[in-house]
Each structure stands twice: as structure tokens, then as C-alpha cells.
Amino acid sequence: MSLQVEKLEKNMAKLTIEASAEELEKAINSAYQKQKGKISIPGFRKGKVPRQVIERMYGKEVFYEDAANELIPTAYESALDECDEDIVSSPKIEVTQIEAGKPFIFTALVALKPEVKLGKYKGVKVDKIDVEVTDDEINEAIERERENNARNISVDDRPVKDGDVTVIDFEGFVDGVAFDGGKGENYPLTIGSGAFIPGFEEQLIGAEIGKEVEVNVTFPEDYHEESLKGKAAVFKCTVKEIKEKELPEVDDEFASEVSEFDTLAEYKEDIKKNLEEKKTKDAKNAKEEAVVNAIIEASEMDIPEAMIETQQRQMVEEFAQRITMQGLSMEQYFQFTGTSYEKMLEQVKPQAETRIKSRLVMEAVAAAENIEVTDEEYDKEIETMAEVYQMETAKVKEMLGEKEAKNIRNDLAVKKAVEFVVENAKEN
């Protein structure tokens, strides 16, 4: 395998990677072995057709695509090991030569890690964040707990009002014709929840049990169902049940039921303590973000688009992994939310760009301040990983390759760099 690197504009590079004719021949033969059982030619038993016969009938190129798909990943990984450049994007591959008896040549267009012209990073000024907990915030927390412990009481002597929990039957019509998905029976709906399209729930206020009412709405222009976007619709609705919330009294009994405390005073004090801890943590994160953003603004870097695109895809993949763990596929998520893979990529682009810039400037600070990670700090991180994955520390170390270990040390150095700039920041 040989490698040539051509640096291009805007921190891009073209890698020209060449594998030997012998490696190509091996890959072609491997493709033949995998496919021969699927090929039928008169006069030969299935799976016993000689490669030369197949190539004469279908052309020598018949196995080239599979051979290329087998060769490219290993050849590219070998090229990365040989390359001295810091590649920060997925490659865009183009095959430039594939012919039996000749070397296999392809190019990989990649982004290179951009240089950072670091601006001011010591003594950055940020606004001080107030972490004092007010009585209103304590009362809001108590109100949320009251809502969580509310009882729904059935009523039948009045019409629907805002905040009621109702059970309804409904059917929707556009231009007098019922549409798919527009019908529901015994559907639970809290008035004012915003669960239905704008304007629907408000028109049920005043409706009486058992009496049909018509609700006139217009579907939003960005509605997930293409055929309904911007369309006026009429829903024929019947309220079958009305329930109103009964909130508990705020007293010692309430406090003892929703907490480990016997009195309301103790419960309020605990709420205050928890809110203070949360606000302090949030303020720390906000200060960290403000300091890093200020350093980004003061610094210069030319980020290649391919680097941002790679980060976007990684973020969407991370999201997909999280919802998969919750038992939901991306296809289901797209269906429920009316979004798409392409829309998600666009949505995360600003965050992807910020994430890249944050990493680059903090790596630059770590280099400028000669921030290093000790073996003790590295070992502690491995121990933490071992606890998370419920593995022995030695086993985790054994599984990590040189590249992974280097990445962990880099991550720790970046964390230390963030701590450094925050400690040296000044609050207004």
C-alpha cells in the first residue's frame, strides 16, 4: 500500500491510496468465492461455475465493485496509520483505477484539523449569575408537586372548562370528506395541554356531555402529513366524560405525603436546598459555556465544511443510539415527529459547529499552557469507565488500543483546560 497526500484549500486534502495488483487479485477472487453460489449458467452446477466462465459471460468487471468494497476499508485504515496529517472528517471516496493485473487506486477527500489562532483566554470577563433561591421559586416547585398529586374528580353538572381532563370521540373532515387518521374514540384530552393542533382544545370549552360540537381548525403549514398542510378542517366532537383536578391543600399532611419530612417548613427548606444546588450547578455550566464562547469569539480558525458534516452525522447517530435504548427506532421517531434525517442534520448544525470550535480552542489552550495528564489521572478515568461498564480495570486497559488511550488523555487535557480558563475568568 502506498500513500500520496495533496493539500488543498480550506484545510482539505486529497489522499491517493494505491494497493498492489496482488491485493486486488485477492479481493476479486474473494468476491468470486462469495458470489459463485448465486450464479447459474447452463452446463454447470450452481456454485461450480469457474470464475473465467463468469467473467467471459458478464465481463471482467463483474466482481470489481465487491472487490473495491472489500479493499477500500482496510487500505484506508492503513493509509491513516501512515499519514502524518490530523484527519477530522469521514472520507469521500472515488475509485480512479480498478483493473485486474494493475494496482488498485482510489482517492479520499478529507478535512484536516484546522490551526487555531488563539485569542485572549486568561482573565475573560463574564456576567455573574445569581444563584439565590426566591420564595416564588419554592412556591412554584410546590405547585408542580400539587399538580403531580392532583385527583381527577368526575363532574356531570357543568360544561367543559379550561384545565379539564376530558374523554372525547371525534372525526375530522376536509371539504366534507373524512380523512385518514382523523377519527378517534374514547380519546383522553386535557384542555389547554396543546396536545392537538392550535385552536382545537379552546373550542371544546363550553361543550356539554353527550352533545356534538363542531370544531373548525386549520392545519399548520409545517404539519407532518403532506396532504393536510394548510388545509381547513371540521372536527365533529362529542364529549363523553369531564373530570376536574382537585389539588391537595398545602399543609403538614401534604408535606408528609410527598416527602420524607413531617412538616411543611422542613419540606420547604429541603426544596430550597435542592434548588440552590441545581442553580449552582447550572450557573457553573453557564459560566463555563460563556467563557469558552468568549474565547471562541476572540480566536480565529477556518473550519472545513466536511468536518462540520461529520460532526452533524455523529450527533444524529448518538441521538439514534439513545432513543434505540428507549425502544424507539429512528423510523418511528421520524414518523411521530414529522421530521427526517436531513432535517435533523440541519437542526444540529449550529451545535455541531460550536462543539468543534469549543474543542479546538480548548486543545489550543492545553497546548499553550503545557497542560498534561498524569498517569494517576488517566488511571482514575479508566477506573471510572470500568465501574460504568461493570468490568475489571485491567480488562478495560487491555481492550483500549493506542489510539483510544490517546483520545482519552486528550479528553482529560481538554477538561483541565476548561477548568483553567474558568478559574482565570473574571465576573462582572
Side-chain angles (χ1 to χ4, degrees), residues 24-77:
L24 176 58
E25 173 59 28
K26 184 179 178 181
I28 292 173
N29 193 58
S30 175
Y32 159 68
Q33 295 295 336
K34 290 176 182 177
Q35 291 191 38
K36 66 180 182 179
K38 305 173 186 176
I39 299 173
S40 297
I41 293 180
F44 296 92
R45 284 185 298 159
K46 197 170 185 179
K48 298 296 183 181
V49 185
R51 175 178 148 188
Q52 293 81 357
V53 173
I54 298 172
E55 290 177 338
R56 278 201 304 270
M57 179 165 284
Y58 296 104
K60 286 192 173 184
E61 302 83 6
V62 65
F63 299 119
Y64 284 180
E65 183 177 350
D66 285 349
N69 289 337
E70 181 174 318
L71 263 179
I72 288 171
T74 53
Y76 181 70
E77 284 299 318

Side-chain angles (χ1 to χ4, degrees), residues 14-17 76 91-96 105-109:
K14 183 169 75 172
L15 312 183
T16 301
I17 303 165
Y76 181 70
K92 292 185 178 179
I93 302 292
E94 182 179 347
V95 175
T96 58
I105 304 173
F106 67 97
T107 60
L109 187 64

Side-chain angles (χ1 to χ4, degrees), residues 144-151 246-248 254 257-258:
R144 287 194 294 272
E145 197 60 43
R146 286 183 79 200
E147 287 285 343
N148 292 337
N149 287 271
R151 292 191 304 161
E246 183 179 75
L247 299 176
F254 169 73
E257 288 177 352
V258 300

Side-chain angles (χ1 to χ4, degrees), residues 103-123:
F104 173 64
I105 304 173
F106 67 97
T107 60
L109 187 64
V110 296
L112 303 180
K113 182 179 175 179
E115 292 185 8
V116 176
K117 186 178 179 182
L118 198 58
K120 179 180 179 181
Y121 62 90
K122 293 180 183 178

Side-chain angles (χ1 to χ4, degrees), residues 45-309:
R45 284 185 298 159
K46 197 170 185 179
K48 298 296 183 181
V49 185
R51 175 178 148 188
Q52 293 81 357
V53 173
I54 298 172
E55 290 177 338
R56 278 201 304 270
M57 179 165 284
Y58 296 104
K60 286 192 173 184
E61 302 83 6
V62 65
F63 299 119
Y64 284 180
E65 183 177 350
D66 285 349
N69 289 337
E70 181 174 318
L71 263 179
I72 288 171
T74 53
Y76 181 70
E77 284 299 318
S78 296
L80 288 186
D81 292 337
E82 184 179 319
C83 186
D84 294 328
E85 303 296 334
D86 199 344
I87 296 171
V88 290
S89 76
S90 301
K92 292 185 178 179
I93 302 292
E94 182 179 347
V95 175
T96 58
Q97 178 173 292
I98 180 167
E99 184 178 345
K102 293 183 179 181
F104 173 64
I105 304 173
F106 67 97
T107 60
L109 187 64
V110 296
L112 303 180
K113 182 179 175 179
E115 292 185 8
V116 176
K117 186 178 179 182
L118 198 58
K120 179 180 179 181
Y121 62 90
K122 293 180 183 178
V124 173
K125 292 183 179 180
V126 293
D127 292 331
K128 186 174 182 179
I129 301 172
D130 184 13
V131 296
E132 182 182 352
V133 175
T134 65
D135 289 341
D136 285 343
E137 289 171 324
I138 294 172
N139 291 333
E140 286 172 8
I142 291 175
E143 282 303 309
R144 287 194 294 272
E145 197 60 43
R146 286 183 79 200
E147 287 285 343
N148 292 337
N149 287 271
R151 292 191 304 161
N152 290 327
I153 308 298
S154 293
V155 294
D156 54 14
D157 58 349
R158 64 165 177 80
V160 175
K161 66 179 183 180
D162 193 21
D164 281 345
V165 178
T166 65
V167 176
I168 64 171
D169 290 346
F170 63 87
E171 186 171 14
F173 300 83
V174 172
D175 297 328
V177 179
F179 56 87
D180 290 341
K183 185 175 183 179
E185 295 182 349
N186 298 318
Y187 193 93
L189 177 64
T190 300
I191 306 303
S193 66
F196 274 31
I197 57 177
F200 186 100
E201 295 166 25
E202 293 87 336
Q203 294 180 58
L204 288 178
I205 294 175
E208 298 178 2
I209 292 176
K211 293 185 179 180
E212 185 179 279
V213 295
E214 288 191 355
V215 172
N216 294 276
V217 295
T218 300
F219 284 97
E221 292 294 341
D222 60 352
Y223 194 67
H224 66 272
E225 175 55 50
E226 190 69 32
S227 63
L228 296 175
K229 288 182 177 180
K231 293 289 183 68
V234 177
F235 283 87
K236 294 182 178 180
C237 307
T238 302
V239 177
K240 302 177 75 174
E241 293 181 37
I242 302 174
K243 294 181 179 181
E244 64 180 2
K245 288 182 180 179
E246 183 179 75
L247 299 176
E249 293 293 326
V250 179
D251 52 21
D252 289 345
E253 183 181 352
F254 169 73
S256 65
E257 288 177 352
V258 300
S259 74
E260 59 186 84
F261 303 100
D262 295 326
T263 67
L264 181 60
E266 290 175 307
Y267 177 46
K268 284 186 173 182
E269 194 60 36
D270 185 63
I271 291 175
K272 182 178 181 181
K273 176 187 172 185
N274 291 332
L275 287 174
E276 284 174 344
E277 289 176 355
K278 184 180 184 303
K279 292 186 80 169
T280 300
K281 182 180 178 181
D282 290 346
K284 179 179 179 294
N285 293 336
K287 180 180 179 181
E288 179 181 299
E289 183 179 348
V291 171
V292 174
N293 285 340
I295 298 171
I296 290 173
E297 288 296 318
S299 303
E300 295 178 16
M301 66 202 90
D302 187 8
I303 303 175
E305 192 65 26
M307 185 179 185
I308 299 173
E309 290 171 358

Side-chain angles (χ1 to χ4, degrees), residues 399-418:
M399 290 175 60
L400 293 173
E402 184 178 335
K403 190 174 182 180
E404 289 81 6
K406 182 180 178 182
N407 288 339
I408 291 172
R409 286 184 178 272
N410 288 342
D411 289 344
L412 291 173
V414 165
K415 287 181 182 178
K416 293 179 72 172
V418 172

